[in-house]
Amino acid sequence: MIKHHPDQDLLFAHAKGELSLSMAIAISAHCALCEACKTAVAQYTQEAADLAFNQHEIDDTTADNIDISANDISLMQSALPDELQTMLAQILCQPELATAPSNEPILVSVKNQHYSVPSVFRQHLDRPWQQLGKVSRMRFTLNEMNTRASLLHIEALGEIPQHTHKGNELTLLLAGEFSDINGNYVPGDFIMLDGHTKHAPKTLKGCLCYIVLDAPLHFTKGLSKLLNPIGELIY
Amino acid sequence: MENIQSQSYQNRYYKPISSLTKSAMDIDISAPSNSEPQVELLAALMLKVANQRDRAAFGYLFTYFMPKIRAFGLQRLNQQGLAMDLVQETMTSVWTKAHLYNADKGSVATWVFTIMRNQCFDMLRRVQHNKEDAFGDDIWPLCDTVAMNQETQIDHKFTAKLLKHLDDLPLAQRQVVQGIYMQELTQQELADALEVPIGTIKSRLRLGLEKLKSFLETPND
Ligand SMILES: [Zn+2]
C-alpha cells in the first residue's frame, strides 16, 4: 500500500496548473500509480474549472465589469466581431486528429534492469545515464533555475550516504523498494523531506525513483568534503 | 517578456473584444451561467460536434467559451495577444479532439478547462523559458486510457523479467527481441533494417521468446 501522498494543497494547485514542470511531473506520475489521488485531482479539476469559468468577471478589468454571464450560448455567432469570425473559420478548417495520445507506461532500462514508468516521463528519457558505483542518475533538462529533477536508480544492496538537503527534496518511488530510518517504501510513495531531515536510503532489491531537488545536497557524515562532490553527481 | 508577434495580436484584438462584450450585453439573455439545463445543453452540443462534426454546434461552444478562456488567459499570461492565442489554441483542440470527449468522465466545461490549462501551461513555459516544448497533455492526459492498470503492470513486469536474460540469447534473436520490446519497432521495420524477410523476423522472435521463457522456468534463477 502507498502510505505517502502529496498533500491536498499540492493536488489542488496541480489541478489548477499552478505547479512548476518538475512538480507537475511528480504529481502526475504519483496519480498514475495512486487511484485515490487520481480521483482527488479529477474532483479538484472540476472545482478549478468552476472557479476559472464562473468568477472571471471579477478579475477581468478590461471588460469593465460587464456581467459576462450574459454571453449565454444563445448569443448568436453573428454577434462575433470579424476577427473572431475569422478565428472560428480557421478552426473549422482543421481536420479531426486521427490518433489518440497513448498513456501507456513506458519501459526504462538501466544497468540491465527494466522498469515501467508512467507515460508523463515520455519526453524526458533521452538523457544519458551517469553512473557511480551502484547509483545511476539521469538528469532532466527542465530549465527551472536551481531545481534539479532526475531519475535515480540504485542497484540491489546499494545505498546513498547519509545526507541532509538545503532545500526540499522530493522522492517519488517508481519501481522497486527502498527504506530509511522512517520505514519501507513501495512504488507510488511520495516522500517530501525538508532541509532538516537526515536520511540514508538503502535498497535490498534495487529501485528507480524520480527526485526533485531545490538545492544541492550536503552530506552530514564525517567525510563531507569528500562526499559532497558525489552528492552533486548523484542527484 | 513580450514578442513582436503578440504585440501585433494585441493591436488586432484589443478593441474588438471590448466591443464584443458590449454587444453581448445588448443581446442579453437572462439564463444564469451555471444552471443545470445549460450543463446539459453544452453536453448535447459537444456530442453533436464529436459525432457529426456539427459546425453550428461548435460555433455556439466557441461563442460561449471564448470570453471565459480569454479572461483566464489574461489572468495567467497577462497580455491580450497571448490570451487570444490561448483562445485559438484551446478551441482548435476542442474541435480537432472532440472525439476524445467522454461525457461520463465530466462536464464539457471541465473538459475545455483541461485543454485550456494544458495549453496555458505550455504557453507560460514558452514565455518564461523561450521553450517550444509541449508537456501539458503528457502531465494531464486528455483521455483516460488505463492508468497503469494491473494487467499492464503485470505484463510489464513479465516483460522486464524476460528481458533480464536478453544477453543470454544468440545475437540474431537478441536483435529482434530488443527491436520489438525496447525500441518498439514493427516486425516490418526490423525486417527492413536487418535486410531479411519478415518470416525470418517472426521465427527469430518466436525462438527468442521461447528461450527467454525457458530461462524463467529454470530453478535457482
Ligand atoms: Zn496518492
PDB file of all heavy atoms in Angstrom, chain B residues 57-81:
ATOM      1  N   ALA B  57     -23.035  23.784 -33.989  1.00  0.00           N
ATOM      2  CA  ALA B  57     -22.908  23.455 -32.565  1.00  0.00           C
ATOM      3  C   ALA B  57     -21.564  23.962 -32.046  1.00  0.00           C
ATOM      4  O   ALA B  57     -21.465  24.530 -30.954  1.00  0.00           O
ATOM      5  CB  ALA B  57     -23.033  21.956 -32.347  1.00  0.00           C
ATOM      6  N   PHE B  58     -20.519  23.779 -32.865  1.00  0.00           N
ATOM      7  CA  PHE B  58     -19.208  24.268 -32.449  1.00  0.00           C
ATOM      8  C   PHE B  58     -19.199  25.792 -32.344  1.00  0.00           C
ATOM      9  O   PHE B  58     -18.590  26.366 -31.442  1.00  0.00           O
ATOM     10  CB  PHE B  58     -18.104  23.807 -33.400  1.00  0.00           C
ATOM     11  CG  PHE B  58     -16.737  24.245 -32.945  1.00  0.00           C
ATOM     12  CD1 PHE B  58     -16.079  23.583 -31.921  1.00  0.00           C
ATOM     13  CD2 PHE B  58     -16.124  25.369 -33.513  1.00  0.00           C
ATOM     14  CE1 PHE B  58     -14.839  24.008 -31.469  1.00  0.00           C
ATOM     15  CE2 PHE B  58     -14.876  25.798 -33.068  1.00  0.00           C
ATOM     16  CZ  PHE B  58     -14.242  25.115 -32.043  1.00  0.00           C
ATOM     17  N   GLY B  59     -19.892  26.441 -33.268  1.00  0.00           N
ATOM     18  CA  GLY B  59     -19.994  27.901 -33.221  1.00  0.00           C
ATOM     19  C   GLY B  59     -20.565  28.389 -31.889  1.00  0.00           C
ATOM     20  O   GLY B  59     -20.074  29.355 -31.309  1.00  0.00           O
ATOM     21  N   TYR B  60     -21.574  27.688 -31.406  1.00  0.00           N
ATOM     22  CA  TYR B  60     -22.138  28.041 -30.099  1.00  0.00           C
ATOM     23  C   TYR B  60     -21.121  27.856 -28.983  1.00  0.00           C
ATOM     24  O   TYR B  60     -20.943  28.714 -28.120  1.00  0.00           O
ATOM     25  CB  TYR B  60     -23.366  27.171 -29.797  1.00  0.00           C
ATOM     26  CG  TYR B  60     -24.611  27.598 -30.530  1.00  0.00           C
ATOM     27  CD1 TYR B  60     -25.262  26.724 -31.391  1.00  0.00           C
ATOM     28  CD2 TYR B  60     -25.153  28.875 -30.334  1.00  0.00           C
ATOM     29  CE1 TYR B  60     -26.409  27.101 -32.060  1.00  0.00           C
ATOM     30  CE2 TYR B  60     -26.306  29.256 -31.014  1.00  0.00           C
ATOM     31  CZ  TYR B  60     -26.928  28.372 -31.875  1.00  0.00           C
ATOM     32  OH  TYR B  60     -28.058  28.758 -32.520  1.00  0.00           O
ATOM     33  N   LEU B  61     -20.441  26.704 -29.020  1.00  0.00           N
ATOM     34  CA  LEU B  61     -19.437  26.428 -27.985  1.00  0.00           C
ATOM     35  C   LEU B  61     -18.340  27.492 -28.016  1.00  0.00           C
ATOM     36  O   LEU B  61     -17.888  27.984 -26.984  1.00  0.00           O
ATOM     37  CB  LEU B  61     -18.819  25.035 -28.172  1.00  0.00           C
ATOM     38  CG  LEU B  61     -19.745  23.843 -27.916  1.00  0.00           C
ATOM     39  CD1 LEU B  61     -19.028  22.546 -28.261  1.00  0.00           C
ATOM     40  CD2 LEU B  61     -20.212  23.815 -26.466  1.00  0.00           C
ATOM     41  N   PHE B  62     -17.945  27.847 -29.218  1.00  0.00           N
ATOM     42  CA  PHE B  62     -16.902  28.871 -29.387  1.00  0.00           C
ATOM     43  C   PHE B  62     -17.355  30.191 -28.760  1.00  0.00           C
ATOM     44  O   PHE B  62     -16.624  30.827 -28.007  1.00  0.00           O
ATOM     45  CB  PHE B  62     -16.608  29.052 -30.878  1.00  0.00           C
ATOM     46  CG  PHE B  62     -15.538  30.076 -31.172  1.00  0.00           C
ATOM     47  CD1 PHE B  62     -14.200  29.720 -31.168  1.00  0.00           C
ATOM     48  CD2 PHE B  62     -15.877  31.403 -31.451  1.00  0.00           C
ATOM     49  CE1 PHE B  62     -13.208  30.662 -31.432  1.00  0.00           C
ATOM     50  CE2 PHE B  62     -14.888  32.350 -31.708  1.00  0.00           C
ATOM     51  CZ  PHE B  62     -13.556  31.974 -31.706  1.00  0.00           C
ATOM     52  N   THR B  63     -18.565  30.582 -29.069  1.00  0.00           N
ATOM     53  CA  THR B  63     -19.090  31.849 -28.561  1.00  0.00           C
ATOM     54  C   THR B  63     -19.224  31.829 -27.040  1.00  0.00           C
ATOM     55  O   THR B  63     -18.978  32.829 -26.371  1.00  0.00           O
ATOM     56  CB  THR B  63     -20.467  32.125 -29.199  1.00  0.00           C
ATOM     57  OG1 THR B  63     -20.357  31.932 -30.604  1.00  0.00           O
ATOM     58  CG2 THR B  63     -20.925  33.547 -28.909  1.00  0.00           C
ATOM     59  N   TYR B  64     -19.589  30.676 -26.521  1.00  0.00           N
ATOM     60  CA  TYR B  64     -19.775  30.544 -25.080  1.00  0.00           C
ATOM     61  C   TYR B  64     -18.447  30.576 -24.320  1.00  0.00           C
ATOM     62  O   TYR B  64     -18.300  31.279 -23.324  1.00  0.00           O
ATOM     63  CB  TYR B  64     -20.511  29.227 -24.780  1.00  0.00           C
ATOM     64  CG  TYR B  64     -20.701  28.953 -23.308  1.00  0.00           C
ATOM     65  CD1 TYR B  64     -21.715  29.589 -22.575  1.00  0.00           C
ATOM     66  CD2 TYR B  64     -19.857  28.067 -22.639  1.00  0.00           C
ATOM     67  CE1 TYR B  64     -21.888  29.337 -21.230  1.00  0.00           C
ATOM     68  CE2 TYR B  64     -20.027  27.812 -21.286  1.00  0.00           C
ATOM     69  CZ  TYR B  64     -21.040  28.453 -20.587  1.00  0.00           C
ATOM     70  OH  TYR B  64     -21.206  28.207 -19.251  1.00  0.00           O
ATOM     71  N   PHE B  65     -17.465  29.809 -24.820  1.00  0.00           N
ATOM     72  CA  PHE B  65     -16.223  29.663 -24.059  1.00  0.00           C
ATOM     73  C   PHE B  65     -15.197  30.755 -24.345  1.00  0.00           C
ATOM     74  O   PHE B  65     -14.305  31.006 -23.538  1.00  0.00           O
ATOM     75  CB  PHE B  65     -15.590  28.288 -24.316  1.00  0.00           C
ATOM     76  CG  PHE B  65     -16.280  27.183 -23.562  1.00  0.00           C
ATOM     77  CD1 PHE B  65     -17.049  26.236 -24.220  1.00  0.00           C
ATOM     78  CD2 PHE B  65     -16.185  27.104 -22.173  1.00  0.00           C
ATOM     79  CE1 PHE B  65     -17.700  25.226 -23.530  1.00  0.00           C
ATOM     80  CE2 PHE B  65     -16.832  26.099 -21.460  1.00  0.00           C
ATOM     81  CZ  PHE B  65     -17.597  25.158 -22.141  1.00  0.00           C
ATOM     82  N   MET B  66     -15.295  31.392 -25.517  1.00  0.00           N
ATOM     83  CA  MET B  66     -14.276  32.357 -25.908  1.00  0.00           C
ATOM     84  C   MET B  66     -13.988  33.405 -24.818  1.00  0.00           C
ATOM     85  O   MET B  66     -12.835  33.563 -24.420  1.00  0.00           O
ATOM     86  CB  MET B  66     -14.680  33.013 -27.244  1.00  0.00           C
ATOM     87  CG  MET B  66     -13.662  33.935 -27.860  1.00  0.00           C
ATOM     88  SD  MET B  66     -13.557  35.552 -27.111  1.00  0.00           S
ATOM     89  CE  MET B  66     -15.177  36.179 -27.559  1.00  0.00           C
ATOM     90  N   PRO B  67     -15.018  34.110 -24.288  1.00  0.00           N
ATOM     91  CA  PRO B  67     -14.702  35.141 -23.287  1.00  0.00           C
ATOM     92  C   PRO B  67     -14.141  34.563 -21.991  1.00  0.00           C
ATOM     93  O   PRO B  67     -13.334  35.205 -21.322  1.00  0.00           O
ATOM     94  CB  PRO B  67     -16.060  35.804 -23.003  1.00  0.00           C
ATOM     95  CG  PRO B  67     -17.023  35.236 -23.976  1.00  0.00           C
ATOM     96  CD  PRO B  67     -16.449  33.999 -24.556  1.00  0.00           C
ATOM     97  N   LYS B  68     -14.548  33.351 -21.660  1.00  0.00           N
ATOM     98  CA  LYS B  68     -14.073  32.715 -20.430  1.00  0.00           C
ATOM     99  C   LYS B  68     -12.596  32.351 -20.554  1.00  0.00           C
ATOM    100  O   LYS B  68     -11.802  32.568 -19.644  1.00  0.00           O
ATOM    101  CB  LYS B  68     -14.899  31.457 -20.133  1.00  0.00           C
ATOM    102  CG  LYS B  68     -16.376  31.745 -19.836  1.00  0.00           C
ATOM    103  CD  LYS B  68     -17.147  30.443 -19.684  1.00  0.00           C
ATOM    104  CE  LYS B  68     -18.637  30.703 -19.491  1.00  0.00           C
ATOM    105  NZ  LYS B  68     -18.941  31.319 -18.176  1.00  0.00           N
ATOM    106  N   ILE B  69     -12.236  31.795 -21.699  1.00  0.00           N
ATOM    107  CA  ILE B  69     -10.834  31.415 -21.923  1.00  0.00           C
ATOM    108  C   ILE B  69      -9.966  32.672 -21.979  1.00  0.00           C
ATOM    109  O   ILE B  69      -8.879  32.727 -21.417  1.00  0.00           O
ATOM    110  CB  ILE B  69     -10.685  30.609 -23.226  1.00  0.00           C
ATOM    111  CG1 ILE B  69     -11.486  29.311 -23.136  1.00  0.00           C
ATOM    112  CG2 ILE B  69      -9.222  30.313 -23.516  1.00  0.00           C
ATOM    113  CD1 ILE B  69     -11.647  28.593 -24.462  1.00  0.00           C
ATOM    114  N   ARG B  70     -10.498  33.673 -22.639  1.00  0.00           N
ATOM    115  CA  ARG B  70      -9.754  34.926 -22.761  1.00  0.00           C
ATOM    116  C   ARG B  70      -9.489  35.526 -21.382  1.00  0.00           C
ATOM    117  O   ARG B  70      -8.378  35.974 -21.082  1.00  0.00           O
ATOM    118  CB  ARG B  70     -10.547  35.897 -23.615  1.00  0.00           C
ATOM    119  CG  ARG B  70      -9.908  37.256 -23.748  1.00  0.00           C
ATOM    120  CD  ARG B  70     -10.771  38.152 -24.616  1.00  0.00           C
ATOM    121  NE  ARG B  70     -10.702  39.522 -24.156  1.00  0.00           N
ATOM    122  CZ  ARG B  70     -11.491  40.031 -23.229  1.00  0.00           C
ATOM    123  NH1 ARG B  70     -12.416  39.299 -22.655  1.00  0.00           N
ATOM    124  NH2 ARG B  70     -11.355  41.287 -22.866  1.00  0.00           N
ATOM    125  N   ALA B  71     -10.502  35.504 -20.515  1.00  0.00           N
ATOM    126  CA  ALA B  71     -10.338  36.063 -19.165  1.00  0.00           C
ATOM    127  C   ALA B  71      -9.297  35.278 -18.377  1.00  0.00           C
ATOM    128  O   ALA B  71      -8.438  35.857 -17.698  1.00  0.00           O
ATOM    129  CB  ALA B  71     -11.675  36.050 -18.428  1.00  0.00           C
ATOM    130  N   PHE B  72      -9.339  33.956 -18.498  1.00  0.00           N
ATOM    131  CA  PHE B  72      -8.355  33.106 -17.826  1.00  0.00           C
ATOM    132  C   PHE B  72      -6.956  33.413 -18.369  1.00  0.00           C
ATOM    133  O   PHE B  72      -5.993  33.556 -17.618  1.00  0.00           O
ATOM    134  CB  PHE B  72      -8.701  31.632 -18.056  1.00  0.00           C
ATOM    135  CG  PHE B  72      -7.765  30.657 -17.395  1.00  0.00           C
ATOM    136  CD1 PHE B  72      -7.963  30.259 -16.078  1.00  0.00           C
ATOM    137  CD2 PHE B  72      -6.684  30.124 -18.096  1.00  0.00           C
ATOM    138  CE1 PHE B  72      -7.100  29.356 -15.466  1.00  0.00           C
ATOM    139  CE2 PHE B  72      -5.813  29.209 -17.485  1.00  0.00           C
ATOM    140  CZ  PHE B  72      -6.029  28.828 -16.172  1.00  0.00           C
ATOM    141  N   GLY B  73      -6.867  33.548 -19.685  1.00  0.00           N
ATOM    142  CA  GLY B  73      -5.595  33.845 -20.328  1.00  0.00           C
ATOM    143  C   GLY B  73      -5.025  35.183 -19.871  1.00  0.00           C
ATOM    144  O   GLY B  73      -3.828  35.312 -19.657  1.00  0.00           O
ATOM    145  N   LEU B  74      -5.901  36.155 -19.703  1.00  0.00           N
ATOM    146  CA  LEU B  74      -5.435  37.457 -19.240  1.00  0.00           C
ATOM    147  C   LEU B  74      -4.859  37.366 -17.837  1.00  0.00           C
ATOM    148  O   LEU B  74      -3.837  37.973 -17.529  1.00  0.00           O
ATOM    149  CB  LEU B  74      -6.585  38.469 -19.257  1.00  0.00           C
ATOM    150  CG  LEU B  74      -6.846  39.140 -20.607  1.00  0.00           C
ATOM    151  CD1 LEU B  74      -8.089  40.016 -20.532  1.00  0.00           C
ATOM    152  CD2 LEU B  74      -5.622  39.971 -21.027  1.00  0.00           C
ATOM    153  N   GLN B  75      -5.519  36.602 -16.990  1.00  0.00           N
ATOM    154  CA  GLN B  75      -5.018  36.418 -15.620  1.00  0.00           C
ATOM    155  C   GLN B  75      -3.657  35.759 -15.593  1.00  0.00           C
ATOM    156  O   GLN B  75      -2.758  36.174 -14.889  1.00  0.00           O
ATOM    157  CB  GLN B  75      -5.973  35.506 -14.847  1.00  0.00           C
ATOM    158  CG  GLN B  75      -7.079  36.221 -14.123  1.00  0.00           C
ATOM    159  CD  GLN B  75      -7.934  35.215 -13.356  1.00  0.00           C
ATOM    160  OE1 GLN B  75      -7.425  34.239 -12.805  1.00  0.00           O
ATOM    161  NE2 GLN B  75      -9.222  35.456 -13.322  1.00  0.00           N
ATOM    162  N   ARG B  76      -3.526  34.667 -16.367  1.00  0.00           N
ATOM    163  CA  ARG B  76      -2.300  33.873 -16.304  1.00  0.00           C
ATOM    164  C   ARG B  76      -1.175  34.456 -17.148  1.00  0.00           C
ATOM    165  O   ARG B  76      -0.016  34.387 -16.778  1.00  0.00           O
ATOM    166  CB  ARG B  76      -2.552  32.447 -16.803  1.00  0.00           C
ATOM    167  CG  ARG B  76      -3.352  31.570 -15.888  1.00  0.00           C
ATOM    168  CD  ARG B  76      -2.484  30.976 -14.785  1.00  0.00           C
ATOM    169  NE  ARG B  76      -3.333  30.314 -13.817  1.00  0.00           N
ATOM    170  CZ  ARG B  76      -3.442  28.991 -13.707  1.00  0.00           C
ATOM    171  NH1 ARG B  76      -2.732  28.215 -14.472  1.00  0.00           N
ATOM    172  NH2 ARG B  76      -4.257  28.464 -12.822  1.00  0.00           N
ATOM    173  N   LEU B  77      -1.519  34.960 -18.328  1.00  0.00           N
ATOM    174  CA  LEU B  77      -0.488  35.344 -19.288  1.00  0.00           C
ATOM    175  C   LEU B  77      -0.298  36.854 -19.353  1.00  0.00           C
ATOM    176  O   LEU B  77       0.681  37.343 -19.904  1.00  0.00           O
ATOM    177  CB  LEU B  77      -0.825  34.802 -20.677  1.00  0.00           C
ATOM    178  CG  LEU B  77      -0.999  33.280 -20.733  1.00  0.00           C
ATOM    179  CD1 LEU B  77      -1.766  32.842 -21.971  1.00  0.00           C
ATOM    180  CD2 LEU B  77       0.371  32.603 -20.710  1.00  0.00           C
ATOM    181  N   ASN B  78      -1.303  37.550 -18.815  1.00  0.00           N
ATOM    182  CA  ASN B  78      -1.141  38.978 -18.607  1.00  0.00           C
ATOM    183  C   ASN B  78      -0.942  39.783 -19.892  1.00  0.00           C
ATOM    184  O   ASN B  78      -0.245  40.782 -19.876  1.00  0.00           O
ATOM    185  CB  ASN B  78       0.041  39.203 -17.652  1.00  0.00           C
ATOM    186  CG  ASN B  78      -0.115  40.491 -16.890  1.00  0.00           C
ATOM    187  OD1 ASN B  78      -1.232  41.018 -16.801  1.00  0.00           O
ATOM    188  ND2 ASN B  78       0.974  41.003 -16.353  1.00  0.00           N
ATOM    189  N   GLN B  79      -1.517  39.317 -20.962  1.00  0.00           N
ATOM    190  CA  GLN B  79      -1.331  40.022 -22.224  1.00  0.00           C
ATOM    191  C   GLN B  79      -2.468  39.666 -23.182  1.00  0.00           C
ATOM    192  O   GLN B  79      -2.752  38.492 -23.395  1.00  0.00           O
ATOM    193  CB  GLN B  79      -0.007  39.573 -22.845  1.00  0.00           C
ATOM    194  CG  GLN B  79       0.741  40.671 -23.543  1.00  0.00           C
ATOM    195  CD  GLN B  79       1.959  40.093 -24.237  1.00  0.00           C
ATOM    196  OE1 GLN B  79       1.870  39.627 -25.362  1.00  0.00           O
ATOM    197  NE2 GLN B  79       3.083  40.105 -23.552  1.00  0.00           N
ATOM    198  N   GLN B  80      -3.093  40.668 -23.777  1.00  0.00           N
ATOM    199  CA  GLN B  80      -4.207  40.431 -24.690  1.00  0.00           C
ATOM    200  C   GLN B  80      -3.865  39.449 -25.802  1.00  0.00           C
ATOM    201  O   GLN B  80      -4.615  38.524 -26.084  1.00  0.00           O
ATOM    202  CB  GLN B  80      -4.626  41.753 -25.353  1.00  0.00           C
ATOM    203  CG  GLN B  80      -5.437  42.660 -24.471  1.00  0.00           C
ATOM    204  CD  GLN B  80      -6.875  42.198 -24.337  1.00  0.00           C
ATOM    205  OE1 GLN B  80      -7.336  41.341 -25.082  1.00  0.00           O
ATOM    206  NE2 GLN B  80      -7.579  42.769 -23.379  1.00  0.00           N
ATOM    207  N   GLY B  81      -2.715  39.687 -26.442  1.00  0.00           N
ATOM    208  CA  GLY B  81      -2.339  38.864 -27.589  1.00  0.00           C
ATOM    209  C   GLY B  81      -2.212  37.404 -27.203  1.00  0.00           C
ATOM    210  O   GLY B  81      -2.718  36.517 -27.897  1.00  0.00           O
TER     211      GLY B  81
END
